[in-house]
Amino acid sequence: MDKKQLSETDIITKFILPAVEQAGWDSMTQVRQEVKLRDGKVIVRGQMGVRKTVKSADIVLYHKPNMPLAVIEAKANKHEIGKGMQQGMDYARLLDVPFIFASNGDGFIFHDKTNPQQLESEVSLEDFPTPETLWQKYCQWKGFSEAQLPIITQDYYDDGSGKSPRYYQLQAINKTIEAVSAGQDRVLLVMATGTGKTYTAFQIIWRLWKARQKKRILFLADRNILVDQTRINDFQPFGQVMTKITGRTVDPAYEIHLALYQALTGPEEYQKAYKQVDPDFFDLIVIDECHRGSAAEDSAWREILEYFNSATQIGLTATPKETDTVSNTDYFGDPVYTYSLKEGIEDGFLAPYKVVRVDLNIDLQGWRPEKGQLDKNGQQIDDRIYNIKDFDRTIVIDERTQLVAETITAYLKRTDPMAKTIVFCNDIDHAERMRRALVNLNPEQIAKNDKYVMKITGDDEIGKAQLDNFINPKKPYPVIATTSELMTTGVDAKTCKLVVLDQNIQSMTKFKQIIGRGTRIDDRYNKLWFTILDFKKATELFADERFDGIPEKVLVTPPEDIIDEENEEFIDELNGVEEDGGPEGETGIEEEPGGYDAGGGEPDWGDGGDTGGEEGGFIKYQVSGVTVKKLDERVQYYDADGKLVTESFNDYTRKTVKKHFASLDDFVRKWKDTERKQIIIDELASEGVIWEAFAEDVGKDLDPFDLICHVVYDQPPLTRKERANNVKKRNYFTKYSDTAQKVLDALLDKYADAGVQEIENVNVLKVKPLDQIGSPLEIVKKGFGGKPAYQQAISELEDELYRDDSQSA
């Protein structure tokens, strides 16, 4: 047997696995092959989402299921023994393990992070380390005591379905268990919305409870829907030992208690139900969405945590709150683990987003009433300039509401009228007016089902009753939900494809929570990405340093015809420019007054509150007859790092491409030397070249080659049709058979219509007019004499397309 002729799979099965099993590793419980750690980032292309392919870890070794110890990366024997090491180290980083093995079947290169004196050494197949050896080294590396081991090695819950935690969930669970077993009594976990915080919490509680380290557990949340979803779904395995606290009664007969903060306390002493049990009754408290009530020192909810001060307390949040007055880390300490939105999108576990920014004339110019003007209710309107901060909060302009509703409706009609949509409004009154406008604009849909549009707010029992239907992927209605506060957090709407922002959002915490309504992925229902339709410039918060990514300046440049002396100051204000040149608060992220996001503010003791139009002590005016129009509606894309592209697409592409091809010659050489041009197109896309936006900006009839040459290197472009015609003029087809000439001529037409990607795809032979010539097999065999000759003909066709003398001087 010539080992060098064996495939990588053969090397694994014939050499690596026998060596591992001979060392005592249990193939059923300790060895897993082809462990897929990432799902593959979703790339948005027009109205399509396509996943990038990702590699799997060849072999992962475990102490016990879901307790990884080592990664083995294999290569075919024609490669050097340590070729897979760097790839293996990447997987090891994700799994947080210190042992990496690379092998080509001759032996192993062993990278051992527990031995800094000799990080890498060569190990023969016969000397592969035993499970006991690696576990002992791992425990020493981690510094585990004997007392910790029974807790740390407690089994995960296994429902028999084969479901396994994702790599970041493993890290979050294991790091939390380790911290608790070491005596840490305040623990913070930061995980982006949609990454399974509740499932993670369940596994943490399950293992601590099964190990009898924690016997009475309280799970706290601030929304009924969060508690009910938790009880019915992730926590269901607790069965009869679990209860939901209702009627302000704590039943000590149960071990697992789920509760609303509001069910345990309130402003009056008789409402403080938590005092029915002793302070040491609970020995573990898990606080969901801990950025909300528990962060503030003077929060009434905080008194629950302080009463059960002796209990271990674990805070879960997607958005840790850090302000001048409120801090999660002051109470819980630094997070033991953080998994960000950016990481989630990069790994393919969270949906990427596309932003459609809509600028309205009165939002940018402002609106001033006529002298003595009365509103629709007969109130005299204060004489001042009203702007984007005021609309739908202190003043309602009917035409603005109508135009926003028309824009939402038009977007859904041209994409998918049944796409689940959440419209975030300023308050309940605004949500009701928006509902009404959307109903009137969608009579055909309302005729099919009158729940096509629903207002879902804290004050509306009928609307709240539809929330479960809205978030259930199997239920088509409601489609559009108008809301203000109720759906900002904790609503697991997996199939939400459109998030509409018509709310003044200045809190980064709230912004992240709202964006999180769209970040869940559901492959079964083709939910791979979502759109943010922004009317209030809220997406400028993407450029803030507290969002994932490096801050970039976002400048609004309205059309010149609306800039005059009267509104120059207001434009400066929108762009964050004050007279002294300092940052302006409106585009910053100061916390909002009142409500959940205020440092010490409390919600009503209900089921999550919204406020109506006049509860803030101010008068809300309502006017009509104002001219409102769209000044601009543009799509904004994000780059390979997850940052919104804030410069022109041409400038952005020029900068991106020149990182890889310093000169035109470099690019042309690479293009011509690469057998399949699609490879370069995909490589540039993965580096951040947004081809759809690029073509939209420059010209849809240009080939990717010409787009790059023209924009990046200032070369005169040729259209695809011009390139195809140049090839036909040369008449180089004559060396081929009649059938081959017909095929190549048809392929040139396909190129002129759709580009080089089309002719490189063998499936093009299945469509008209090529399917009239014969089947793909017949075309390749009879027309060209076989696959190699067909591929050579395609290569020559591309050479002709990109010949130097075919370009304009």
Side-chain angles (χ1 to χ4, degrees):
M1 178 176 59
D2 183 358
K3 190 187 284 189
K4 294 202 178 295
Q5 298 302 314
L6 296 179
S7 66
E8 181 180 301
T9 301
D10 286 333
I11 292 296
I12 290 172
T13 56
K14 297 179 185 299
F15 296 95
I16 296 176
L17 286 177
V20 169
E21 291 171 8
Q22 185 180 342
W25 294 86
D26 187 328
S27 60
M28 295 297 292
T29 61
Q30 293 184 304
V31 182
R32 282 184 62 198
Q33 295 186 65
E34 291 297 311
V35 180
K36 188 179 177 185
L37 299 178
R38 300 180 175 102
D39 266 6
K41 181 178 179 179
V42 176
I43 307 297
V44 181
R45 293 289 174 259
Q47 291 297 316
M48 297 286 291
V50 181
R51 282 195 185 274
K52 290 175 67 175
T53 56
V54 291
K55 295 180 179 179
S56 301
D58 289 332
I59 301 171
V60 178
L61 302 180
Y62 297 81
H63 173 65
K64 297 178 75 172
N66 298 316
M67 298 179 194
L69 281 180
V71 170
I72 303 176
E73 192 58 31
K75 296 296 176 188
N77 193 254
K78 63 184 179 182
H79 297 293
E80 194 270 330
I81 186 172
K83 180 174 174 58
M85 180 56 71
Q86 290 191 162
Q87 196 175 334
M89 291 182 73
D90 181 50
Y91 298 139
R93 176 183 59 82
L94 298 180
L95 290 168
D96 192 34
V97 297
F99 309 121
I100 306 99
F101 297 87
S103 178
N104 64 355
D106 289 340
F108 299 92
I109 298 297
F110 177 27
H111 186 100
D112 181 2
K113 294 183 185 298
T114 71
N115 184 11
Q117 282 73 40
Q118 186 178 9
L119 282 172
E120 293 194 357
S121 58
E122 190 163 348
V123 176
S124 68
L125 293 173
E126 295 77 19
D127 293 328
F128 192 84
T130 65
E132 294 76 21
T133 299
L134 290 192
W135 175 244
Q136 186 177 26
K137 289 167 71 71
Y138 179 81
C139 291
Q140 290 173 350
W141 181 62
K142 284 281 193 176
F144 295 152
S145 66
E146 285 295 321
Q148 287 178 264
L149 292 180
I151 306 165
I152 289 166
T153 59
Q154 176 60 48
D155 291 343
Y156 277 68
Y157 173 77
D158 184 355
D159 64 2
S161 68
K163 178 180 179 179
S164 179
R166 294 168 175 169
Y167 83 82
Y168 63 86
Q169 292 170 338
L170 280 180
Q171 284 217 46
I173 295 163
N174 290 341
K175 286 180 183 293
T176 302
I177 296 292
E178 291 168 15
V180 173
S181 70
Q184 188 172 326
D185 57 7
R186 298 292 181 270
V187 178
L188 181 63
L189 273 180
V190 178
M191 296 171 66
T193 299
T195 56
K197 289 192 299 296
T198 310
Y199 172 73
T200 300
F202 163 72
Q203 289 287 5
I204 291 168
I205 295 170
W206 177 270
R207 292 176 63 196
L208 291 172
W209 178 64
K210 279 291 186 179
R212 306 313 290 165
Q213 173 75 3
K214 305 295 178 185
K215 298 175 184 177
R216 290 198 186 95
I217 294 108
L218 173 63
F219 180 88
L220 275 176
D222 70 339
R223 296 283 172 90
N224 244 327
I225 190 169
L226 297 179
V227 175
D228 291 339
Q229 283 178 349
T230 300
R231 179 172 56 86
I232 295 168
N233 298 324
D234 289 316
F235 280 36
Q236 186 271 335
F238 285 120
Q240 298 302 310
V241 303
M242 174 177 60
T243 186
K244 175 185 175 182
I245 296 175
T246 57
R248 297 196 180 277
T249 302
V250 181
D251 188 343
Y254 292 91
E255 296 180 54
I256 312 293
H257 298 252
L258 281 63
L260 283 169
Y261 291 104
Q262 297 95 314
L264 290 180
T265 190
E268 304 298 332
E269 188 64 27
Y270 74 88
Q271 294 174 311
K272 301 185 187 303
Y274 64 87
K275 292 186 177 180
Q276 294 172 15
V277 293
D278 292 335
D280 60 355
F281 180 78
F282 292 113
D283 44 24
L284 175 63
I285 301 178
V286 177
I287 307 98
D288 194 25
E289 305 292 358
C290 70
H291 65 279
R292 294 170 75 82
S294 58
E297 287 185 18
D298 57 351
S299 164
W301 299 343
R302 181 78 156 258
E303 66 185 347
I304 302 173
L305 305 185
E306 291 174 348
Y307 181 80
F308 298 112
N309 186 57
S310 62
T312 298
Q313 297 176 10
I314 301 173
L316 307 174
T317 183
T319 50
K321 180 175 288 189
E322 300 297 328
T323 71
D324 291 340
T325 58
V326 179
S327 173
N328 287 112
T329 57
D330 284 349
Y331 186 79
F332 291 102
D334 291 332
V336 296
Y337 184 68
T338 298
Y339 188 70
S340 68
L341 172 64
K342 179 180 176 181
E343 290 173 300
I345 291 174
E346 197 64 35
D347 289 339
F349 297 124
L350 294 180
Y353 44 81
K354 185 166 68 175
V355 176
V356 179
R357 169 84 173 268
V358 182
D359 292 333
L360 306 182
N361 63 326
I362 61 169
D363 290 355
L364 295 183
Q365 295 170 318
W367 177 82
R368 184 175 182 176
E370 296 176 4
K371 186 175 181 180
Q373 184 174 346
L374 304 180
D375 78 347
K376 293 173 71 173
N377 298 313
Q379 302 175 100
Q380 184 167 323
I381 305 170
D382 286 347
D383 184 13
R384 68 178 181 86
I385 295 176
Y386 294 87
N387 57 40
I388 196 170
K389 294 178 288 186
D390 300 302
F391 298 135
D392 296 302
R393 187 171 288 279
T394 59
I395 189 164
V396 173
I397 294 178
D398 291 339
E399 288 78 8
R400 187 188 183 284
T401 305
Q402 181 69 14
L403 184 54
V404 170
E406 287 174 359
T407 306
I408 296 168
T409 301
Y411 179 85
L412 289 173
K413 282 183 176 178
R414 74 173 179 264
T415 55
D416 177 8
M418 296 302 291
K420 297 278 187 172
T421 300
I422 306 176
V423 184
F424 287 99
C425 304
N426 269 325
D427 54 34
I428 289 173
D429 171 63
H430 185 196
E432 170 54 29
R433 287 184 290 102
M434 188 60 66
R435 181 202 67 81
R436 196 157 56 244
L438 288 165
V439 165
N440 289 331
L441 287 166
N442 291 275
E444 301 90 352
Q445 296 293 347
I446 298 297
K448 295 176 187 175
N449 191 304
D450 61 8
K451 293 183 174 61
Y452 181 75
V453 183
M454 294 290 294
K455 181 186 71 151
I456 302 180
T457 53
D459 72 320
D460 193 321
E461 293 304 320
I462 294 175
K464 283 197 292 185
Q466 290 298 317
L467 185 54
D468 283 345
N469 289 331
F470 180 81
I471 66 179
N472 186 343
K474 296 179 181 179
K475 302 285 187 180
Y477 298 97
V479 174
I480 304 174
T482 66
T483 190
S484 60
E485 296 294 332
L486 185 64
M487 299 176 71
T488 58
T489 185
V491 177
D492 188 8
K494 288 184 178 180
T495 54
C496 177
K497 292 185 177 180
L498 179 62
V499 173
V500 180
L501 305 179
D502 197 27
Q503 182 182 114
N504 296 317
I505 303 169
Q506 295 168 273
S507 160
M508 177 60 75
T509 299
K510 186 175 185 179
F511 178 66
K512 284 188 176 183
Q513 289 289 339
I514 286 177
I515 297 306
R517 298 314 101 211
T519 54
R520 288 169 173 82
I521 280 180
D522 196 321
D523 290 272
R524 295 168 301 172
Y525 293 89
N526 196 32
K527 163 61 192 304
L528 294 175
W529 61 281
F530 70 106
T531 300
I532 302 167
L533 191 54
D534 181 16
F535 293 90
K536 287 289 183 82
K537 304 189 325 93
T539 50
E540 289 187 356
L541 288 172
F542 279 125
D544 187 273
E545 61 183 350
R546 275 177 273 192
F547 201 81
D548 296 317
I550 301 169
E552 293 184 28
K553 184 65 175 173
V554 180
L555 286 179
V556 176
T557 307
E560 290 183 7
D561 61 354
I562 73 162
I563 299 181
D564 52 37
E565 290 183 5
E566 185 177 341
N567 61 40
E568 259 185 2
E569 182 179 341
F570 181 60
I571 298 301
D572 284 344
E573 180 184 342
L574 289 176
N575 284 323
V577 179
E578 287 188 312
E579 290 183 12
D580 63 359
E584 205 282 322
E586 171 59 13
T587 54
I589 55 168
E590 293 301 313
E591 298 299 321
E592 290 185 341
Y596 288 104
D597 284 315
E602 291 300 318
D604 294 335
W605 294 105
D607 195 324
D610 290 284
T611 55
E614 299 185 6
E615 292 191 8
F618 56 80
I619 297 173
K620 180 182 286 188
Y621 304 111
Q622 186 167 2
V623 297
S624 60
V626 178
T627 300
V628 182
K629 59 184 178 180
K630 281 188 281 189
L631 295 175
D632 196 10
E633 180 175 336
R634 60 195 182 277
V635 177
Q636 294 176 298
Y637 295 81
Y638 67 94
D639 65 14
D641 292 324
K643 296 182 292 182
L644 281 182
V645 176
T646 56
E647 57 198 312
S648 77
F649 290 127
N650 290 6
D651 290 343
Y652 174 74
T653 303
R654 191 177 295 117
K655 183 175 65 178
T656 302
V657 172
K658 283 192 172 180
K659 288 180 186 174
H660 302 278
F661 307 107
S663 69
L664 174 64
D665 287 344
D666 290 341
F667 174 68
V668 172
R669 191 181 308 114
K670 173 77 176 199
W671 185 269
K672 291 186 174 180
D673 289 348
T674 302
E675 187 173 336
R676 291 185 66 247
K677 313 310 179 195
Q678 185 67 47
I679 294 172
I680 298 179
I681 294 169
D682 290 343
E683 284 178 354
L684 288 174
S686 69
E687 291 296 323
V689 172
I690 306 160
W691 290 108
E692 286 73 18
F694 194 20
E696 192 80 34
D697 240 25
V698 182
K700 293 182 178 179
D701 56 351
L702 297 183
D703 184 273
F705 176 81
D706 282 285
L707 283 170
I708 295 295
C709 289
H710 176 55
V711 171
V712 180
Y713 304 106
D714 299 317
Q715 298 298 303
L718 291 178
T719 65
R720 293 192 300 270
K721 192 169 184 179
E722 287 171 333
R723 286 193 175 277
N725 286 339
N726 284 342
V727 174
K728 289 182 179 182
K729 288 174 188 174
R730 292 189 210 111
N731 202 25
Y732 93 100
F733 293 158
T734 53
K735 67 177 182 177
Y736 294 102
S737 68
D738 289 344
T739 301
Q741 289 186 44
K742 289 180 183 178
V743 171
L744 292 171
D745 192 64
L747 287 176
L748 267 180
D749 290 338
K750 291 290 184 184
Y751 167 82
D753 289 338
V756 69
Q757 303 99 309
E758 189 78 358
I759 64 176
E760 289 186 344
N761 185 349
V762 72
N763 289 323
V764 73
L765 300 178
K766 298 178 182 178
V767 299
K768 291 181 180 180
L770 290 150
D771 62 345
Q772 306 298 312
I773 301 173
S775 69
L777 187 60
E778 289 171 338
I779 290 173
V780 169
K781 194 170 182 180
K782 294 180 181 177
F784 295 89
K787 186 176 179 181
Y790 173 77
Q791 291 174 329
Q792 180 61 30
I794 297 299
S795 180
E796 289 177 2
L797 177 60
E798 290 182 347
D799 288 342
E800 290 294 319
L801 281 167
Y802 300 111
R803 259 175 59 171
D804 290 343
D805 61 2
S806 72
Q807 298 187 42
S808 301

